[in-house]
Amino acid sequence: MNERVGPFGTNIPIKIYGLSEKSVTITFGTSIENDLLDLITDFNRVLLRNPFSGLITTVPAYTTLTVFFDPLTVMLSDLPGVSGFEKVSAHLNQIAQTEREKSKTTANEVLIPVYYGGDFGRDLLTVARTNNLSEAEVIDIHTAGQYTVFMIGFVPGFAYMGGMDTRLSTPRKAVPNAKIPAGSVGIAGNQTGIYPMETPGGWQIIGKTPLKMFDVNRSQPSLLQGGDKVTFKAIDLNEFNAYVEICV
């Protein structure tokens, strides 16, 4: 494991460790925070603008950035080090010592319509009872917040969002459901998220959006991207059906 203190002159220590012979992971911290997301985003931006020979892709997450590369190309490069890990780490540590290039673009703000409760949100009552709230209060609190997309994972287009009011914090289900419908809006711990396609899942489902969260026919298949700011809007069944007709 390799460690350096202060990427871009910050006081946040980073750790670099080998994930496989084709990838390394940089750990920036242990907690889900907007400042950490900004640091990971900025580091990723600088790396992609200054790639090393053999870089394939990067995958940002809550507290980490994983870097995938071609081992043969890296070994044939003039990067310092004996192993592929040493060579890639040398480049990453060099990136960490450069001047930070903070994003000048504002985050995308996305409004997600949701029909809460009923057959679309069978766990709304569970969330309410767990937190000593009414179902209406759960909806009010959920729609009052603004959420940050910290990472896309689990399945393509699944956005993990932080910033949820702790009054709604509810544990995952002890036994996951075999099928969660596409568009289902759920809560797990202190996160909220949306299932982009039908999959098994253990999140507490409180509603459903009629929007297509992932569509391979779009130029950008995933509706949400890391760093996006999301708010939810409660809609009734007629509005839900109207959205469905438009989205088909």
Side-chain angles (χ1 to χ4, degrees), residues 35-47:
D35 287 346
L36 205 60
L37 172 65
D38 290 342
L39 181 59
I40 294 170
T41 300
D42 293 340
F43 191 101
N44 190 38
R45 181 177 295 106
V46 176
L47 173 59

Side-chain angles (χ1 to χ4, degrees), residues 117-127 173 177 179-181 183-187 193 195 201-208:
D119 291 338
F120 291 158
R122 295 178 180 273
D123 302 316
L124 179 62
L125 181 58
T126 297
V127 173
K173 296 179 181 179
N177 290 345
K179 292 182 179 180
I180 301 292
S184 294
V185 178
I187 287 174
Y195 286 77
W203 290 40
Q204 306 287 349
I205 305 303
I206 61 173
K208 183 177 180 180

Side-chain angles (χ1 to χ4, degrees), residues 164-198:
M164 188 178 72
D165 193 309
T166 55
R167 289 177 293 172
L168 299 183
S169 182
T170 309
R172 285 178 170 84
K173 296 179 181 179
V175 179
N177 290 345
K179 292 182 179 180
I180 301 292
S184 294
V185 178
I187 287 174
N190 203 37
Q191 305 171 95
T192 191
I194 308 172
Y195 286 77
M197 57 192 69
E198 183 180 283

Side-chain angles (χ1 to χ4, degrees), residues 3-48:
E3 182 173 345
R4 289 288 185 276
V5 176
F8 305 137
T10 66
N11 60 358
I12 299 175
I14 63 170
K15 295 181 179 179
I16 305 173
Y17 63 89
L19 186 63
S20 72
E21 64 176 8
K22 299 180 180 180
S23 59
V24 301
T25 294
I26 314 167
T27 300
F28 290 80
T30 58
S31 58
I32 302 173
E33 300 173 6
N34 284 323
D35 287 346
L36 205 60
L37 172 65
D38 290 342
L39 181 59
I40 294 170
T41 300
D42 293 340
F43 191 101
N44 190 38
R45 181 177 295 106
V46 176
L47 173 59
L48 294 178

Side-chain angles (χ1 to χ4, degrees), residues 44-244:
N44 190 38
R45 181 177 295 106
V46 176
L47 173 59
L48 294 178
R49 288 179 180 173
N50 302 274
F52 58 86
S53 182
L55 174 64
I56 295 175
T57 190
T58 59
V59 179
Y62 279 124
T63 61
T64 63
L65 178 68
T66 299
V67 181
F68 293 87
F69 56 89
D70 176 67
L72 180 59
T73 304
V74 168
M75 288 304 297
L76 294 175
S77 72
D78 58 0
L79 289 169
V82 177
S83 66
F85 170 75
E86 290 178 354
K87 287 176 174 290
V88 172
S89 295
H91 186 81
L92 297 176
N93 282 317
Q94 184 179 25
I95 292 291
Q97 302 309 310
T98 62
E99 184 176 351
R100 186 174 187 177
E101 298 177 15
K102 288 190 68 65
S103 174
K104 296 180 180 179
T105 60
T106 57
N108 291 325
E109 296 187 0
V110 185
L111 178 65
I112 305 292
V114 179
Y115 180 85
Y116 289 91
D119 291 338
F120 291 158
R122 295 178 180 273
D123 302 316
L124 179 62
L125 181 58
T126 297
V127 173
R129 288 177 172 174
T130 299
N131 295 285
N132 296 315
L133 299 167
S134 68
E135 293 185 31
E137 287 174 321
V138 171
I139 296 171
D140 287 343
I141 295 171
H142 195 255
T143 54
Q146 184 180 63
Y147 306 86
T148 300
V149 178
F150 278 88
M151 62 176 287
I152 303 294
F154 169 52
V155 293
F158 190 104
Y160 289 83
M161 289 176 267
M164 188 178 72
D165 193 309
T166 55
R167 289 177 293 172
L168 299 183
S169 182
T170 309
R172 285 178 170 84
K173 296 179 181 179
V175 179
N177 290 345
K179 292 182 179 180
I180 301 292
S184 294
V185 178
I187 287 174
N190 203 37
Q191 305 171 95
T192 191
I194 308 172
Y195 286 77
M197 57 192 69
E198 183 180 283
T199 67
W203 290 40
Q204 306 287 349
I205 305 303
I206 61 173
K208 183 177 180 180
T209 179
L211 302 183
K212 289 185 178 181
M213 302 306 298
F214 187 84
D215 186 347
V216 294
N217 295 315
R218 293 193 299 237
S219 58
Q220 178 57 62
S222 179
L223 181 63
L224 297 177
Q225 304 296 316
D228 285 353
K229 300 296 183 181
V230 176
T231 53
F232 295 97
K233 172 188 175 183
I235 58 174
D236 60 28
L237 189 56
N238 288 332
E239 291 174 301
F240 181 95
N241 291 331
Y243 270 106
V244 170

